[in-house]
mmCIF file of all heavy atoms in Angstrom:
data_model
loop_
_atom_site.group_PDB
_atom_site.id
_atom_site.type_symbol
_atom_site.label_atom_id
_atom_site.label_comp_id
_atom_site.label_asym_id
_atom_site.label_seq_id
_atom_site.Cartn_x
_atom_site.Cartn_y
_atom_site.Cartn_z
ATOM 1 N N HIS C 107 63.808 106.207 14.276
ATOM 2 C CA HIS C 107 63.331 105.862 15.607
ATOM 3 C C HIS C 107 62.732 107.048 16.348
ATOM 4 O O HIS C 107 61.902 106.861 17.241
ATOM 5 C CB HIS C 107 64.472 105.297 16.456
ATOM 6 C CG HIS C 107 65.131 104.093 15.883
ATOM 7 N ND1 HIS C 107 64.427 103.076 15.284
ATOM 8 C CD2 HIS C 107 66.439 103.728 15.809
ATOM 9 C CE1 HIS C 107 65.261 102.134 14.872
ATOM 10 N NE2 HIS C 107 66.489 102.516 15.176
ATOM 11 N N SER C 108 63.164 108.242 16.015
ATOM 12 C CA SER C 108 62.823 109.397 16.849
ATOM 13 C C SER C 108 61.951 110.450 16.178
ATOM 14 O O SER C 108 61.275 111.218 16.873
ATOM 15 C CB SER C 108 64.115 110.062 17.338
ATOM 16 O OG SER C 108 64.935 110.439 16.233
ATOM 17 N N LEU C 109 61.916 110.500 14.858
ATOM 18 C CA LEU C 109 61.225 111.592 14.169
ATOM 19 C C LEU C 109 59.747 111.644 14.512
ATOM 20 O O LEU C 109 59.206 112.715 14.826
ATOM 21 C CB LEU C 109 61.414 111.455 12.658
ATOM 22 C CG LEU C 109 60.719 112.525 11.803
ATOM 23 C CD1 LEU C 109 61.253 113.914 12.160
ATOM 24 C CD2 LEU C 109 60.922 112.243 10.319
ATOM 25 N N ILE C 110 59.068 110.498 14.492
ATOM 26 C CA ILE C 110 57.625 110.502 14.736
ATOM 27 C C ILE C 110 57.315 110.859 16.179
ATOM 28 O O ILE C 110 56.326 111.541 16.475
ATOM 29 C CB ILE C 110 57.009 109.132 14.355
ATOM 30 C CG1 ILE C 110 55.489 109.159 14.530
ATOM 31 C CG2 ILE C 110 57.615 108.002 15.168
ATOM 32 C CD1 ILE C 110 54.801 110.157 13.628
ATOM 33 N N VAL C 111 58.193 110.461 17.107
ATOM 34 C CA VAL C 111 57.999 110.814 18.515
ATOM 35 C C VAL C 111 58.131 112.324 18.702
ATOM 36 O O VAL C 111 57.343 112.944 19.416
ATOM 37 C CB VAL C 111 59.011 110.064 19.398
ATOM 38 C CG1 VAL C 111 58.846 110.469 20.861
ATOM 39 C CG2 VAL C 111 58.846 108.561 19.247
ATOM 40 N N VAL C 112 59.123 112.915 18.060
ATOM 41 C CA VAL C 112 59.311 114.364 18.129
ATOM 42 C C VAL C 112 58.101 115.087 17.547
ATOM 43 O O VAL C 112 57.626 116.085 18.108
ATOM 44 C CB VAL C 112 60.595 114.778 17.391
ATOM 45 C CG1 VAL C 112 60.693 116.289 17.271
ATOM 46 C CG2 VAL C 112 61.825 114.220 18.099
ATOM 47 N N CYS C 113 57.568 114.590 16.447
ATOM 48 C CA CYS C 113 56.399 115.216 15.817
ATOM 49 C C CYS C 113 55.184 115.185 16.741
ATOM 50 O O CYS C 113 54.444 116.178 16.857
ATOM 51 C CB CYS C 113 56.073 114.521 14.503
ATOM 52 S SG CYS C 113 57.270 114.841 13.177
ATOM 53 N N ILE C 114 54.975 114.063 17.405
ATOM 54 C CA ILE C 114 53.842 113.949 18.329
ATOM 55 C C ILE C 114 54.018 114.900 19.504
ATOM 56 O O ILE C 114 53.073 115.575 19.928
ATOM 57 C CB ILE C 114 53.700 112.488 18.810
ATOM 58 C CG1 ILE C 114 53.180 111.620 17.660
ATOM 59 C CG2 ILE C 114 52.759 112.396 20.015
ATOM 60 C CD1 ILE C 114 53.218 110.134 17.942
ATOM 61 N N ALA C 115 55.236 114.974 20.030
ATOM 62 C CA ALA C 115 55.509 115.898 21.133
ATOM 63 C C ALA C 115 55.253 117.341 20.704
ATOM 64 O O ALA C 115 54.636 118.122 21.447
ATOM 65 C CB ALA C 115 56.945 115.726 21.606
ATOM 66 N N LEU C 116 55.697 117.716 19.512
ATOM 67 C CA LEU C 116 55.493 119.078 19.028
ATOM 68 C C LEU C 116 54.017 119.390 18.810
ATOM 69 O O LEU C 116 53.561 120.505 19.100
ATOM 70 C CB LEU C 116 56.278 119.292 17.729
ATOM 71 C CG LEU C 116 57.800 119.320 17.861
ATOM 72 C CD1 LEU C 116 58.460 119.440 16.494
ATOM 73 C CD2 LEU C 116 58.243 120.475 18.759
ATOM 74 N N LEU C 117 53.263 118.418 18.314
ATOM 75 C CA LEU C 117 51.829 118.622 18.131
ATOM 76 C C LEU C 117 51.137 118.840 19.472
ATOM 77 O O LEU C 117 50.242 119.687 19.591
ATOM 78 C CB LEU C 117 51.212 117.425 17.406
ATOM 79 C CG LEU C 117 51.486 117.328 15.904
ATOM 80 C CD1 LEU C 117 50.968 116.002 15.352
ATOM 81 C CD2 LEU C 117 50.855 118.491 15.151
ATOM 82 N N ALA C 118 51.532 118.079 20.485
ATOM 83 C CA ALA C 118 50.937 118.235 21.814
ATOM 84 C C ALA C 118 51.291 119.609 22.398
ATOM 85 O O ALA C 118 50.441 120.269 23.009
ATOM 86 C CB ALA C 118 51.421 117.118 22.738
ATOM 87 N N ILE C 119 52.535 120.038 22.208
ATOM 88 C CA ILE C 119 52.950 121.349 22.704
ATOM 89 C C ILE C 119 52.196 122.457 21.970
ATOM 90 O O ILE C 119 51.711 123.421 22.581
ATOM 91 C CB ILE C 119 54.470 121.525 22.547
ATOM 92 C CG1 ILE C 119 55.210 120.548 23.468
ATOM 93 C CG2 ILE C 119 54.885 122.955 22.845
ATOM 94 C CD1 ILE C 119 56.703 120.475 23.207
ATOM 95 N N LEU C 120 52.090 122.320 20.653
ATOM 96 C CA LEU C 120 51.358 123.309 19.862
ATOM 97 C C LEU C 120 49.895 123.384 20.298
ATOM 98 O O LEU C 120 49.346 124.479 20.470
ATOM 99 C CB LEU C 120 51.443 122.946 18.382
ATOM 100 C CG LEU C 120 50.629 123.821 17.410
ATOM 101 C CD1 LEU C 120 51.127 125.258 17.457
ATOM 102 C CD2 LEU C 120 50.721 123.269 15.994
ATOM 103 N N ALA C 121 49.270 122.219 20.490
ATOM 104 C CA ALA C 121 47.870 122.191 20.905
ATOM 105 C C ALA C 121 47.683 122.867 22.263
ATOM 106 O O ALA C 121 46.656 123.513 22.511
ATOM 107 C CB ALA C 121 47.377 120.743 20.966
ATOM 108 N N HIS C 122 48.690 122.736 23.139
ATOM 109 C CA HIS C 122 48.580 123.321 24.474
ATOM 110 C C HIS C 122 48.542 124.849 24.415
ATOM 111 O O HIS C 122 47.915 125.483 25.284
ATOM 112 C CB HIS C 122 49.763 122.864 25.329
ATOM 113 C CG HIS C 122 49.703 123.344 26.742
ATOM 114 N ND1 HIS C 122 48.770 122.865 27.643
ATOM 115 C CD2 HIS C 122 50.446 124.273 27.413
ATOM 116 C CE1 HIS C 122 48.942 123.468 28.809
ATOM 117 N NE2 HIS C 122 49.947 124.323 28.694
ATOM 118 N N PHE C 123 49.177 125.431 23.414
ATOM 119 C CA PHE C 123 49.257 126.884 23.332
ATOM 120 C C PHE C 123 48.225 127.484 22.375
ATOM 121 O O PHE C 123 48.272 128.681 22.085
ATOM 122 C CB PHE C 123 50.671 127.313 22.930
ATOM 123 C CG PHE C 123 51.678 127.105 24.031
ATOM 124 C CD1 PHE C 123 52.524 126.014 24.009
ATOM 125 C CD2 PHE C 123 51.738 127.984 25.097
ATOM 126 C CE1 PHE C 123 53.442 125.811 25.030
ATOM 127 C CE2 PHE C 123 52.653 127.799 26.118
ATOM 128 C CZ PHE C 123 53.504 126.706 26.098
ATOM 129 N N LEU C 124 47.306 126.664 21.903
ATOM 130 C CA LEU C 124 46.200 127.198 21.118
ATOM 131 C C LEU C 124 45.267 128.004 22.003
ATOM 132 O O LEU C 124 45.247 127.849 23.227
ATOM 133 C CB LEU C 124 45.417 126.048 20.467
ATOM 134 C CG LEU C 124 46.115 125.257 19.363
ATOM 135 C CD1 LEU C 124 45.246 124.072 18.943
ATOM 136 C CD2 LEU C 124 46.431 126.138 18.158
ATOM 137 N N THR C 125 44.495 128.870 21.406
ATOM 138 C CA THR C 125 43.501 129.619 22.167
ATOM 139 C C THR C 125 42.445 128.659 22.711
ATOM 140 O O THR C 125 42.260 127.544 22.201
ATOM 141 C CB THR C 125 42.824 130.665 21.285
ATOM 142 O OG1 THR C 125 42.094 129.998 20.239
ATOM 143 C CG2 THR C 125 43.847 131.612 20.681
ATOM 144 N N ALA C 126 41.758 129.089 23.744
ATOM 145 C CA ALA C 126 40.716 128.263 24.359
ATOM 146 C C ALA C 126 39.633 127.892 23.347
ATOM 147 O O ALA C 126 39.126 126.763 23.333
ATOM 148 C CB ALA C 126 40.107 128.990 25.549
ATOM 149 N N ASN C 127 39.279 128.817 22.475
ATOM 150 C CA ASN C 127 38.260 128.542 21.457
ATOM 151 C C ASN C 127 38.726 127.466 20.488
ATOM 152 O O ASN C 127 37.945 126.593 20.085
ATOM 153 C CB ASN C 127 37.920 129.820 20.693
ATOM 154 C CG ASN C 127 37.119 130.798 21.525
ATOM 155 O OD1 ASN C 127 36.452 130.406 22.490
ATOM 156 N ND2 ASN C 127 37.167 132.075 21.170
ATOM 157 N N SER C 128 40.000 127.509 20.113
ATOM 158 C CA SER C 128 40.538 126.498 19.205
ATOM 159 C C SER C 128 40.580 125.133 19.884
ATOM 160 O O SER C 128 40.263 124.109 19.271
ATOM 161 C CB SER C 128 41.941 126.899 18.746
ATOM 162 O OG SER C 128 41.906 128.102 18.004
ATOM 163 N N GLN C 129 40.962 125.101 21.163
ATOM 164 C CA GLN C 129 41.005 123.847 21.896
ATOM 165 C C GLN C 129 39.613 123.245 22.030
ATOM 166 O O GLN C 129 39.448 122.027 21.949
ATOM 167 C CB GLN C 129 41.635 124.058 23.271
ATOM 168 C CG GLN C 129 43.126 124.349 23.228
ATOM 169 C CD GLN C 129 43.730 124.454 24.609
ATOM 170 O OE1 GLN C 129 43.014 124.531 25.611
ATOM 171 N NE2 GLN C 129 45.048 124.458 24.679
ATOM 172 N N ASP C 130 38.627 124.097 22.225
ATOM 173 C CA ASP C 130 37.246 123.608 22.328
ATOM 174 C C ASP C 130 36.805 122.894 21.055
ATOM 175 O O ASP C 130 35.920 122.031 21.098
ATOM 176 C CB ASP C 130 36.291 124.772 22.609
ATOM 177 C CG ASP C 130 36.423 125.294 24.028
ATOM 178 O OD1 ASP C 130 36.986 124.580 24.877
ATOM 179 O OD2 ASP C 130 35.978 126.442 24.278
ATOM 180 N N TYR C 131 37.405 123.232 19.954
ATOM 181 C CA TYR C 131 37.051 122.628 18.667
ATOM 182 C C TYR C 131 37.726 121.258 18.485
ATOM 183 O O TYR C 131 37.384 120.510 17.573
ATOM 184 C CB TYR C 131 37.470 123.570 17.533
ATOM 185 C CG TYR C 131 36.856 123.266 16.187
ATOM 186 C CD1 TYR C 131 35.487 123.385 15.979
ATOM 187 C CD2 TYR C 131 37.650 122.854 15.123
ATOM 188 C CE1 TYR C 131 34.923 123.107 14.745
ATOM 189 C CE2 TYR C 131 37.098 122.573 13.886
ATOM 190 C CZ TYR C 131 35.730 122.701 13.700
ATOM 191 O OH TYR C 131 35.180 122.429 12.469
ATOM 192 N N LEU C 132 38.671 120.915 19.379
ATOM 193 C CA LEU C 132 39.456 119.690 19.214
ATOM 194 C C LEU C 132 39.232 118.652 20.314
ATOM 195 O O LEU C 132 39.492 117.464 20.103
ATOM 196 C CB LEU C 132 40.954 120.040 19.172
ATOM 197 C CG LEU C 132 41.420 120.953 18.044
ATOM 198 C CD1 LEU C 132 42.887 121.314 18.233
ATOM 199 C CD2 LEU C 132 41.206 120.295 16.686
ATOM 200 N N VAL C 133 38.782 119.066 21.473
ATOM 201 C CA VAL C 133 38.689 118.182 22.627
ATOM 202 C C VAL C 133 37.702 117.033 22.371
ATOM 203 O O VAL C 133 36.719 117.196 21.638
ATOM 204 C CB VAL C 133 38.264 118.997 23.869
ATOM 205 C CG1 VAL C 133 36.857 119.522 23.721
ATOM 206 C CG2 VAL C 133 38.386 118.171 25.141
ATOM 207 N N TYR C 134 37.991 115.858 22.969
ATOM 208 C CA TYR C 134 37.011 114.764 22.971
ATOM 209 C C TYR C 134 35.805 115.236 23.774
ATOM 210 O O TYR C 134 35.907 115.477 24.983
ATOM 211 C CB TYR C 134 37.623 113.505 23.605
ATOM 212 C CG TYR C 134 36.628 112.374 23.825
ATOM 213 C CD1 TYR C 134 36.595 111.281 22.963
ATOM 214 C CD2 TYR C 134 35.722 112.401 24.893
ATOM 215 C CE1 TYR C 134 35.689 110.240 23.173
ATOM 216 C CE2 TYR C 134 34.810 111.380 25.091
ATOM 217 C CZ TYR C 134 34.792 110.308 24.239
ATOM 218 O OH TYR C 134 33.894 109.278 24.443
ATOM 219 N N GLN C 135 34.686 115.371 23.088
ATOM 220 C CA GLN C 135 33.456 115.817 23.729
ATOM 221 C C GLN C 135 32.328 114.918 23.227
ATOM 222 O O GLN C 135 31.968 114.946 22.056
ATOM 223 C CB GLN C 135 33.189 117.283 23.393
ATOM 224 C CG GLN C 135 32.675 118.140 24.524
ATOM 225 C CD GLN C 135 31.242 117.815 24.907
ATOM 226 O OE1 GLN C 135 30.506 117.161 24.171
ATOM 227 N NE2 GLN C 135 30.834 118.263 26.079
ATOM 228 N N ARG C 136 31.785 114.111 24.119
ATOM 229 C CA ARG C 136 30.879 113.030 23.729
ATOM 230 C C ARG C 136 29.689 113.515 22.904
ATOM 231 O O ARG C 136 29.376 112.942 21.852
ATOM 232 C CB ARG C 136 30.391 112.303 24.990
ATOM 233 C CG ARG C 136 29.467 111.135 24.686
ATOM 234 C CD ARG C 136 29.022 110.413 25.939
ATOM 235 N NE ARG C 136 28.132 109.339 25.572
ATOM 236 C CZ ARG C 136 28.527 108.137 25.184
ATOM 237 N NH1 ARG C 136 29.818 107.860 25.117
ATOM 238 N NH2 ARG C 136 27.658 107.203 24.850
ATOM 239 N N GLU C 137 29.041 114.558 23.352
ATOM 240 C CA GLU C 137 27.845 115.028 22.658
ATOM 241 C C GLU C 137 28.170 115.494 21.245
ATOM 242 O O GLU C 137 27.432 115.199 20.294
ATOM 243 C CB GLU C 137 27.198 116.160 23.452
ATOM 244 C CG GLU C 137 25.921 116.694 22.803
ATOM 245 C CD GLU C 137 25.275 117.793 23.625
ATOM 246 O OE1 GLU C 137 25.758 118.051 24.750
ATOM 247 O OE2 GLU C 137 24.313 118.397 23.122
ATOM 248 N N LEU C 138 29.283 116.200 21.092
ATOM 249 C CA LEU C 138 29.648 116.713 19.775
ATOM 250 C C LEU C 138 30.116 115.592 18.848
ATOM 251 O O LEU C 138 29.894 115.653 17.633
ATOM 252 C CB LEU C 138 30.721 117.782 19.916
ATOM 253 C CG LEU C 138 30.274 119.042 20.676
ATOM 254 C CD1 LEU C 138 31.431 120.006 20.854
ATOM 255 C CD2 LEU C 138 29.111 119.717 19.953
ATOM 256 N N ILE C 139 30.739 114.566 19.400
ATOM 257 C CA ILE C 139 31.110 113.406 18.591
ATOM 258 C C ILE C 139 29.856 112.722 18.065
ATOM 259 O O ILE C 139 29.790 112.312 16.901
ATOM 260 C CB ILE C 139 31.972 112.424 19.412
ATOM 261 C CG1 ILE C 139 33.357 113.032 19.675
ATOM 262 C CG2 ILE C 139 32.129 111.090 18.680
ATOM 263 C CD1 ILE C 139 34.200 112.238 20.640
ATOM 264 N N SER C 140 28.830 112.622 18.915
ATOM 265 C CA SER C 140 27.574 112.000 18.492
ATOM 266 C C SER C 140 26.888 112.807 17.403
ATOM 267 O O SER C 140 26.055 112.276 16.665
ATOM 268 C CB SER C 140 26.638 111.848 19.696
ATOM 269 O OG SER C 140 26.198 113.112 20.168
ATOM 270 N N GLN C 141 27.270 114.088 17.280
ATOM 271 C CA GLN C 141 26.702 114.934 16.226
ATOM 272 C C GLN C 141 27.527 114.893 14.943
ATOM 273 O O GLN C 141 27.234 115.610 13.993
ATOM 274 C CB GLN C 141 26.614 116.377 16.737
ATOM 275 C CG GLN C 141 25.646 116.551 17.891
ATOM 276 C CD GLN C 141 25.652 117.954 18.461
ATOM 277 O OE1 GLN C 141 26.219 118.883 17.867
ATOM 278 N NE2 GLN C 141 25.024 118.142 19.614
ATOM 279 N N GLY C 142 28.559 114.046 14.928
ATOM 280 C CA GLY C 142 29.327 113.848 13.703
ATOM 281 C C GLY C 142 30.714 114.458 13.680
ATOM 282 O O GLY C 142 31.412 114.347 12.665
ATOM 283 N N GLN C 143 31.157 115.085 14.775
ATOM 284 C CA GLN C 143 32.488 115.683 14.801
ATOM 285 C C GLN C 143 33.519 114.620 15.183
ATOM 286 O O GLN C 143 34.122 114.640 16.262
ATOM 287 C CB GLN C 143 32.505 116.875 15.768
ATOM 288 C CG GLN C 143 31.563 117.990 15.342
ATOM 289 C CD GLN C 143 31.653 119.224 16.227
ATOM 290 O OE1 GLN C 143 32.608 119.399 16.986
ATOM 291 N NE2 GLN C 143 30.657 120.094 16.134
ATOM 292 N N LEU C 144 33.745 113.708 14.253
ATOM 293 C CA LEU C 144 34.525 112.505 14.540
ATOM 294 C C LEU C 144 36.015 112.776 14.708
ATOM 295 O O LEU C 144 36.719 111.943 15.285
ATOM 296 C CB LEU C 144 34.303 111.477 13.427
ATOM 297 C CG LEU C 144 32.853 111.013 13.216
ATOM 298 C CD1 LEU C 144 32.785 109.965 12.104
ATOM 299 C CD2 LEU C 144 32.262 110.458 14.510
#
């Protein structure tokens, strides 16, 4: 019941502490999605 919830929480926490450049590579960005970064 809890393992997958914990994993999602940890991924969100990890993503929050990534460098700004790394976060820029992951954010939903409409123009970049249209260029194939699905």
Side-chain angles (χ1 to χ4, degrees):
H107 302 319
S108 57
L109 179 60
I110 183 63
V111 178
V112 171
C113 289
I114 288 170
L116 291 176
L117 285 173
I119 293 170
L120 175 62
H122 183 70
F123 289 101
L124 291 174
T125 64
N127 288 337
S128 297
Q129 290 184 348
D130 288 343
Y131 195 65
L132 299 174
V133 67
Y134 172 103
Q135 221 289 344
R136 181 179 179 84
E137 181 179 354
L138 296 176
I139 290 171
S140 68
Q141 295 175 12
Q143 297 185 16
L144 300 181

